[in-house]
């Protein structure tokens, strides 16, 4: 049982690292985006960078609670399913009720890309570093 708790805390620490990195990237992006001279990059940073970051950071946040509950988010299909559901609500339902809000299906795709990045970091990159592969 102790081994499982150590694994859980290691996973929560990795989630915390992703949350901290996401906050830094968000703040950095807010500072850098207006100074970019490449218009396509400025457009991407202004339109979709934060949505990709949202998918990554939101999954790290959710995984803390799922891990504490004993069900860490390890399967890509589960991560993408959660983000698809959230994306359909955020981009499909909320704009109908929140004045000034707009719907963009590409935002849902960006959330899903963020979920893929989260999974890659947690399971393929940070996971391998933790076990020394």
């Amino acid at each position: 049982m102790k081994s499982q708790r150590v694994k859980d805390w290691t996973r929560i620490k990795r989630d915390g690292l992703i949350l901290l990195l996401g906050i830094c990237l968000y703040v950095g992006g807010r500072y850098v985006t207006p100074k970019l001279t490449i218009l396509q990059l400025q457009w991407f940073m202004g339109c979709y960078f934060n949505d990709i970051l949202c998918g990554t950071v939101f999954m790290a946040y959710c995984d803390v609670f799922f891990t504490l509950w004993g069900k860490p988010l390890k399967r890509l299909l589960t991560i993408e399913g959660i983000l698809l559901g959230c994306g359909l609500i955020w981009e499909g339902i909320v704009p109908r009720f929140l004045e000034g809000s707009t719907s963009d299906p590409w935002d849902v795709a960006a959330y899903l890309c963020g979920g893929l990045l989260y999974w890659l970091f947690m399971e393929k990159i940070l996971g391998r570093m933790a076990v020394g592969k």
Side-chain angles (χ1 to χ4, degrees):
M1 186 67 172
K2 184 177 180 180
S3 174
Q4 183 61 36
R5 281 186 278 174
V6 169
K7 268 191 202 172
D8 290 348
W9 284 112
T10 300
R11 186 169 185 88
I12 289 170
K13 287 178 188 176
R14 290 187 300 186
D15 282 322
L17 178 64
I18 289 173
L19 286 165
L20 184 61
L21 181 62
I23 291 167
C24 291
L25 287 171
Y26 174 77
V27 171
R30 298 278 299 191
Y31 176 75
V32 169
T33 300
K35 297 176 180 356
L36 292 172
T37 57
I38 302 170
L39 292 179
Q40 293 85 349
L41 186 56
Q42 188 179 39
W43 172 83
F44 172 79
M45 292 293 290
C47 293
Y48 297 109
F49 178 74
N50 289 337
D51 294 327
I52 292 170
L53 205 53
C54 172
T56 305
V57 170
F58 184 68
M59 285 293 89
Y61 175 78
C62 289
D63 189 49
V64 169
F65 295 103
F66 277 94
T67 300
L68 291 172
W69 187 33
K71 306 280 186 189
L73 296 172
K74 292 184 176 184
R75 293 184 57 223
L76 180 59
L77 188 60
T78 303
I79 292 166
E80 297 295 82
I82 291 169
L83 285 172
L84 181 61
C86 291
L88 292 175
I89 291 169
W90 295 332
E91 300 298 329
I93 296 173
V94 170
R96 296 176 193 267
F97 299 102
L98 186 62
E99 190 176 319
S101 181
T102 59
S103 179
D104 182 0
W106 288 106
D107 284 353
V108 178
Y111 304 145
L112 294 173
C113 287
L116 175 62
L117 284 175
Y118 171 77
W119 179 78
L120 287 171
F121 279 126
M122 287 297 281
E123 300 304 324
K124 301 299 178 191
I125 297 170
L126 296 177
R128 283 200 175 140
M129 288 170 53
V131 295
K133 289 185 180 177

